[in-house]
Amino acid sequence: MASVMTAMQPLEHIMEELERADGLGALQAASEALCDHYGIDHVVYHWVDSAGDQYGCGTYSNAWRARYLEQNYLRVDPVILGCFQRFHPVDWKRLDWSSKAAKAFQAEAITHGVGNQGFSVPIRGPNGQFALFTVNHSCNDAWWADWTEAHRRDLILIAHYFNEKALEFEPERTPEQSQALSPREVDAMTLLAMGYSRAQVADTLSISEHTLRVYIESARFKLGAMNTTHAVARAMSRGLIVV
Amino acid sequence: MASVMTAMQPLEHIMEELERADGLGALQAASEALCDHYGIDHVVYHWVDSAGDQYGCGTYSNAWRARYLEQNYLRVDPVILGCFQRFHPVDWKRLDWSSKAAKAFQAEAITHGVGNQGFSVPIRGPNGQFALFTVNHSCNDAWWADWTEAHRRDLILIAHYFNEKALEFEPERTPEQSQALSPREVDAMTLLAMGYSRAQVADTLSISEHTLRVYIESARFKLGAMNTTHAVARAMSRGLIVV
DNA sequence: TTTTCACTCCCCAGAAATAGTGAGGAGGCG
DNA sequence: CGCCTCCTCACTATTTCTGGGGAGTGAAAA
């Protein structure tokens, strides 16, 4: 249980390497180092971006990665689907593998060298960023249960550092931080995001609907949005409004 | 630097208590225990929910909490605004305190016993859940820098556990994940959030605009939204779509 | 002091979204 | 085998939003 608290030099060394990492290659190297350190088959970091864009690094075979992307397994993979609704790290056994697609997916994964046991830590960043840190191994249930229990805390922390570095190295994936909205514009966007119509927003803010329109338009302009819905979506994803 | 890795019995004890916690009171107790353990002024967990709903526990005075809620400081607090855009834990000094509102807010916080130094860990869960774990103290910059550097890893981990427990105890705060959107509905919401008009979305999805409308309406119904903008906002804040 | 910016108000025509119906086929699940 | 959800298409009338204009105040920044 107390693994995080006990001295474990090689892990400490890997963590320090990770903190000093200055490129995506370092994450790949860290994945491999972690595999060696723990004596497990695979360590993988998988960033699942906005429009189904993906980025990852880790020790899965290139063939399996290619196949995964090519088949768009993103929309089938129970690990992705399950972790997206969770906060807790999760053992793969607790996911829903019942669908036909999931079973086929699993079978194919195993033929590509993916182990039967897995443990994934969901990680979330700003603007809806989502990633998974996964450790994977081929072994029996009891051994895996002991191992994951023993290293749970380490894995949470390592997952956090992986994501921290990935965000750092890929700033273009969390794009421009545009100019801020004026208070009135924030009010307008916020109320619109809450489902109020323009008339209701104007009424709530005690201004004419014409005036409100000016705010919406200027907010739309500042956010580079094509319409109100777009503007609200951008304001939300940039954290300019909290709804 | 290696604090997480070194034996530190009292912290270990607190963490184990936290893991066994079975109610919100336990988080409050853990906050106080952490204050004692570290010898700092405040430890606070603050859940900032979708609709501006808030829940928190920690060692701030009741007067300050009441004031914060009453004044709706959520929309002013640079800690909230800054952390919402970040993944890294952040020292309060690195936030933007330049606005007049922020300065007034800070001054008032200090009169309510909040320390001049702060360090906050942003945490995100499913469905757009967002929370902050903050440690706060009154001291000079050098001491604080040393302290936060020394305990950074612990704090990340403790923040994770606080949120894990908070999510566990408050399932009703992430309720209406019940109604997932169908794939087509997700497509529609996503493209609308990207600024496409209905005609463009229909074209992109290669369906008639009439069909598209059915998706938008059913999505709106499932999300309990009053209009398209509202539906998109809800879908985003619940993490159903990623833009 | 000048200039910029946020805030407020107004008109109009055309484009877009919404509300109320309707119906048929494909596929999964008990 | 029904039952269900999902996907697809259609019509009409009404409401709401958008994109062009223009104009005045006050506060803050340059």
Side-chain angles (χ1 to χ4, degrees):
Chain A
M1 148 142 308
S3 77
V4 171
M5 303 300 167
T6 54
M8 192 180 269
Q9 272 314 315
L11 176 60
E12 176 65 7
H13 181 71
I14 294 168
M15 295 281 282
E16 283 178 13
E17 284 291 312
L18 201 50
E19 278 191 26
R20 279 198 298 273
D22 61 350
L24 290 172
L27 295 187
Q28 182 69 36
S31 303
E32 288 158 14
L34 286 166
C35 269
D36 286 350
H37 170 70
Y38 286 122
I40 55 173
D41 293 351
H42 294 294
V43 169
V44 176
Y45 171 81
H46 186 186
W47 177 334
V48 184
D49 201 77
S50 328
D53 243 25
Q54 296 176 68
Y55 155 73
C57 64
T59 59
Y60 285 160
S61 71
N62 287 330
W64 175 232
R65 288 185 219 201
R67 178 75 179 160
Y68 193 100
L69 292 171
E70 173 208 325
Q71 292 290 309
N72 202 25
Y73 277 150
L74 186 62
R75 313 247 176 230
V76 174
D77 188 345
V79 180
I80 302 281
L81 300 176
C83 286
F84 199 69
Q85 299 283 91
R86 281 182 171 80
F87 178 73
H88 300 59
V90 64
D91 192 289
W92 286 7
K93 274 191 291 297
R94 298 185 53 191
L95 298 168
D96 177 18
W97 296 91
S98 62
S99 85
K100 214 165 55 181
K103 287 197 177 76
F105 169 78
Q106 187 176 31
E108 193 179 351
I110 289 177
T111 70
H112 279 90
V114 177
N116 61 325
Q117 303 286 353
F119 185 81
S120 291
V121 185
I123 328 162
R124 292 178 179 81
N127 304 322
Q129 185 246 356
F130 177 73
L132 281 180
F133 178 78
T134 294
V135 287
N136 177 272
H137 196 50
S138 204
C139 64
N140 65 44
D141 289 0
W143 192 91
W144 187 245
D146 287 347
W147 190 88
T148 51
E149 172 65 19
H151 299 100
R152 179 183 158 86
R153 292 190 193 170
D154 287 347
L155 295 173
I156 292 170
L157 213 46
I158 295 167
H160 184 96
Y161 276 76
F162 261 74
N163 202 52
E164 193 165 291
K165 288 299 167 183
L167 282 164
E168 191 177 307
F169 302 147
E170 297 277 282
E172 73 277 10
R173 281 176 189 270
T174 51
E176 71 249 67
Q177 191 162 315
S178 60
Q179 53 180 320
L181 300 178
S182 78
R184 268 330 215 188
E185 286 158 358
V186 172
D187 292 342
M189 291 293 108
T190 303
L191 291 167
L192 288 170
M194 287 165 55
Y196 289 38
S197 72
R198 291 207 310 202
Q200 289 174 310
V201 173
D203 197 51
T204 305
L205 296 179
S206 303
I207 56 178
S208 77
E209 196 178 328
H210 311 282
T211 303
L212 175 73
R213 255 184 47 201
V214 178
Y215 297 144
I216 299 176
E217 275 179 54
S218 71
R220 211 173 47 222
F221 181 73
K222 286 181 181 174
L223 295 166
M226 339 198 46
N227 54 44
T228 302
T229 299
H230 194 195
V232 169
R234 289 205 156 178
M236 287 182 71
S237 75
R238 291 182 194 176
L240 301 174
I241 63 175
V242 187
V243 179
Chain B
M1 147 146 304
S3 77
V4 171
M5 304 298 167
T6 56
M8 193 179 269
Q9 272 314 316
L11 177 60
E12 176 66 8
H13 181 72
I14 295 169
M15 295 282 281
E16 285 178 11
E17 284 290 313
L18 201 50
E19 278 192 26
R20 278 198 299 272
D22 60 351
L24 290 171
L27 296 186
Q28 182 69 36
S31 303
E32 288 159 14
L34 286 166
C35 269
D36 287 350
H37 171 69
Y38 286 122
I40 56 173
D41 293 351
H42 294 294
V43 169
V44 177
Y45 171 81
H46 186 187
W47 178 334
V48 183
D49 200 80
S50 313
D53 241 26
Q54 295 176 67
Y55 156 72
C57 66
T59 60
Y60 285 160
S61 72
N62 288 330
W64 176 232
R65 289 185 217 199
R67 179 74 179 160
Y68 193 100
L69 291 172
E70 174 208 327
Q71 293 289 310
N72 202 24
Y73 277 149
L74 184 63
R75 313 237 179 239
V76 175
D77 189 346
V79 180
I80 301 281
L81 299 175
C83 286
F84 200 70
Q85 318 239 48
R86 282 182 170 80
F87 178 75
H88 299 58
V90 63
D91 192 289
W92 286 8
K93 275 192 290 297
R94 298 184 53 191
L95 297 168
D96 176 20
W97 296 89
S98 62
S99 84
K100 212 166 57 178
K103 288 198 177 74
F105 169 78
Q106 187 176 31
E108 194 178 350
I110 289 178
T111 68
H112 279 89
V114 177
N116 60 325
Q117 304 285 355
F119 184 80
S120 292
V121 185
I123 326 162
R124 292 177 179 82
N127 304 319
Q129 185 246 356
F130 178 73
L132 281 180
F133 178 78
T134 294
V135 287
N136 177 274
H137 196 51
S138 204
C139 63
N140 65 44
D141 288 1
W143 191 90
W144 188 246
D146 287 348
W147 190 87
T148 51
E149 172 66 18
H151 299 99
R152 180 184 157 85
R153 292 189 192 172
D154 287 347
L155 296 172
I156 291 170
L157 212 47
I158 295 167
H160 185 96
Y161 276 77
F162 261 75
N163 203 53
E164 192 165 293
K165 289 300 168 182
L167 281 165
E168 191 178 307
F169 302 148
E170 297 276 281
E172 73 278 9
R173 279 181 188 269
T174 51
E176 27 224 327
Q177 93 209 57
S178 47
Q179 289 269 348
L181 299 179
S182 77
R184 270 326 216 189
E185 286 159 359
V186 171
D187 292 340
M189 290 293 107
T190 303
L191 291 168
L192 287 170
M194 288 164 57
Y196 289 36
S197 71
R198 290 207 308 204
Q200 289 174 309
V201 173
D203 198 50
T204 305
L205 297 179
S206 303
I207 57 177
S208 77
E209 197 177 329
H210 308 282
T211 303
L212 175 72
R213 249 183 47 199
V214 178
Y215 297 144
I216 298 176
E217 274 179 56
S218 70
R220 210 172 53 220
F221 181 73
K222 285 180 181 174
L223 295 166
M226 343 198 42
N227 54 44
T228 301
T229 300
H230 194 197
V232 169
R234 289 204 156 179
M236 288 183 70
S237 76
R238 291 182 196 175
L240 300 175
I241 62 172
V242 189
V243 178

